[in-house]
């Protein structure tokens, strides 16, 4: 392929950020300077929430901050070198959630976003505007402009926002299911289906299959675009050696009846030849024994090192994903 390949990544927060950094770096190593012209992330917005009058988009912000190099790498969310003066003041007022920290710099992002939303800009337009501040080297699109924040329904029928379940209860309350109210009537954000159907490769980041990639696939039209695209669709397992890499995805998988294994997640996504979304699946070397099972589901297994512990490993993984897609 002579022209730079057009790549679409379906992405959640931490796994999505690291993988996007890897794909951007892999493209740069191929001599592609204007990566923003060819690399698009379709980002989960199911984690979004309103808090203290501002709109938060955790996965969008994680990816933006990571690509800008201003993210708090250790914590996995928010800005590096942030302070919490405003947060303490909010606590004094009894506003917001005592278990949920809003950093001062991060709050600047939420205030700017909320102001523009109130001015009538769509989330897509706000993200486009926010992407201009830094050289991100990628185009970020929300999966949808509709508000479809994830609700966790517990076994006793009570309902709570995903962020309360995740950050306050650390996913210890057994969920019966996850819902995204309004998603059945939501549309993909402008540009999403076009990006997928005109891509040369579509990659599923190693993000939470249930609450990150799940909501993206649940937006009517996105699955169809994945089914229709001539581009190969390659997924990266978020499970390494039978364990989740970080976060509490295992609880989410158990809730929807999927085992925490690289092959079970591939089976959950399914093969494109039978209404699923995958052509190929990258498994960790630790899970090489599961490759045959994945192949048996009609998905091409590719065994590769999956740990994204530094920029060079992330780039190598991204290069393997691109090569698997034939670009
Ligand atoms: N995660 C936490 O565990 N505790 C927090 O106080 C917290 C604050 C926070 C603020 C802004 C933001 O964008 C993300 C934040 N996160 C926090 C991360 C977030 O809750 C989740 O890790 C993701 O939504 C899951 O992908």
């Amino acid at each position: 392929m002579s022209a730079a390949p057009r790549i679409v990544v379906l992405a959640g927060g931490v796994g999505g950020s690291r993988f996007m950094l890897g794909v951007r770096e892999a493209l740069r190593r191929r001599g592609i300077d204007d990566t923003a012209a060819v690399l698009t992330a379709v980002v989960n917005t199911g984690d979004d929430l309103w808090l203290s009058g501002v709109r938060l988009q955790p996965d969008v912000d994680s990816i933006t901050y990571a690509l800008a190099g201003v993210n708090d790498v250790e914590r996995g969310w928010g800005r590096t070198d942030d302070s919490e003066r405003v947060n303490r003041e909010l606590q004094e007022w009894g506003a917001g959630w005592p278990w949920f920290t809003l950093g001062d710099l991060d709050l600047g992002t939420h205030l700017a976003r909320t102001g523009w939303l109130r001015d009538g800009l769509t989330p897509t337009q706000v993200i486009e505007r926010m992407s201009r501040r830094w050289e991100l080297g990628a185009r970020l699109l929300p999966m949808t402009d509709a508000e479809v924040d994830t609700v966790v329904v517990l076994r006793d029928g009570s309902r709570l926002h995903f962020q309360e379940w995740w950050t306050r209860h650390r996913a210890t309350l057994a969920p019966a299911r996850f819902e995204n109210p309004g998603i059945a009537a939501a549309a993909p954000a402008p540009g999403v289906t076009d990006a997928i159907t005109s891509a040369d490769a579509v990659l599923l980041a190693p993000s939470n299959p249930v609450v990150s990639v799940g909501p993206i696939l649940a937006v009517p039209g996105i699955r169809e675009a994945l089914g229709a695209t001539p581009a190969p669709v390659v997924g990266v397992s978020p499970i390494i050696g039978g364990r989740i890499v970080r976060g509490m995805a295992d609880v989410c998988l158990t809730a929807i009846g999927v085992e925490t294994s690289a092959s079970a997640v591939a089976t959950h996504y399914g093969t494109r030849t039978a209404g699923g979304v995958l052509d190929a699946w990258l498994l960790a070397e630790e899970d090489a024994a599961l490759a045959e099972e994945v192949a048996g589901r009609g998905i091409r297994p590719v065994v590769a090192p999956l740990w994204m512990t530094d920029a060079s490993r992330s780039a190598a993984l991204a290069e393997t994903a691109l090569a698997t897609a034939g670009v």
Side-chain angles (χ1 to χ4, degrees):
M1 185 170 305
S2 51
R6 289 156 299 178
I7 314 298
V8 171
V9 178
L10 307 192
V14 177
S17 307
R18 290 197 185 158
F19 191 64
M20 279 296 291
L21 285 170
V23 177
R24 186 182 66 180
E25 178 60 20
L27 294 174
R28 283 180 179 162
R29 287 181 185 183
R30 289 175 175 205
I32 300 164
D33 296 324
D34 187 8
T35 54
V38 293
L39 175 57
T40 300
V42 174
V43 184
N44 171 44
T45 57
D47 286 12
D48 296 7
L49 72 157
W50 285 100
L51 192 68
S52 293
V54 292
R55 186 71 174 153
L56 275 66
Q57 297 203 290
D59 286 1
V60 171
D61 290 347
S62 285
I63 295 177
T64 303
Y65 294 160
L67 291 173
V70 299
N71 58 317
D72 186 324
V73 178
E74 273 189 17
R75 209 169 44 168
W77 48 271
R79 294 278 296 270
T80 187
D81 293 326
D82 210 345
S83 47
E84 295 172 10
R85 289 194 72 192
V86 179
N87 196 64
R88 281 195 291 276
E89 192 64 8
L90 286 168
Q91 311 284 314
E92 290 297 328
W93 286 115
W97 284 336
W99 62 86
F100 201 82
T101 308
L102 296 174
D104 294 334
L105 298 177
D106 200 28
L107 258 167
T109 304
H110 310 320
L111 285 169
R113 169 187 298 122
T114 306
W116 287 324
L117 290 172
R118 294 262 184 256
D119 289 345
L121 268 65
T122 63
T124 301
Q125 291 167 334
V126 171
I127 291 167
E128 200 272 324
R129 185 175 284 193
M130 293 194 135
S131 297
R132 286 185 220 146
R133 176 171 173 189
W134 293 290
E135 290 272 322
L136 300 184
R139 177 172 65 136
L140 268 52
L141 297 175
M143 63 188 198
T144 179
D145 277 337
E147 283 182 19
V148 292
D149 306 9
T150 304
V151 172
V152 184
V153 183
L154 302 180
R155 296 214 182 117
D156 65 3
S158 55
R159 303 164 67 84
L160 63 170
H161 191 286
F162 167 74
Q163 291 293 350
E164 180 173 3
W165 179 74
W166 189 260
T167 61
R168 180 186 188 184
H169 300 290
R170 315 301 313 172
T172 52
L173 305 177
R177 61 184 183 276
F178 302 90
E179 292 180 357
N180 293 93
I183 205 161
V192 167
T193 52
D194 277 358
I196 293 172
T197 53
S198 62
D200 296 305
V202 179
L203 309 177
L204 264 63
S207 297
N208 188 314
V210 185
V211 295
S212 295
V213 180
I216 300 176
L217 299 178
V219 177
I222 294 190
R223 244 176 201 283
E224 291 74 5
L226 289 169
T229 185
V233 181
V234 177
V236 181
S237 174
I239 314 286
I240 299 184
R243 302 167 78 100
I244 48 151
V245 173
R246 62 178 295 149
M248 297 155 286
D250 48 347
V251 184
C252 304
L253 285 166
T254 304
I256 64 160
V258 175
E259 195 192 316
T260 301
S261 86
S263 55
V265 174
T267 304
H268 167 66
Y269 284 140
T271 169
R272 282 216 295 167
T273 58
V277 298
L278 291 177
D279 293 309
W281 185 238
L282 267 57
L283 300 113
E285 292 155 313
E286 295 89 325
D287 295 312
L290 300 173
E292 210 174 312
E293 198 180 320
V294 172
R297 307 284 183 203
I299 299 162
R300 185 183 147 211
V302 174
V303 175
L306 297 194
W307 289 105
M308 296 191 288
T309 39
D310 58 41
S312 142
R313 285 193 178 92
S314 300
L317 169 60
E319 183 52 45
T320 305
L322 294 174
T324 301
V327 297

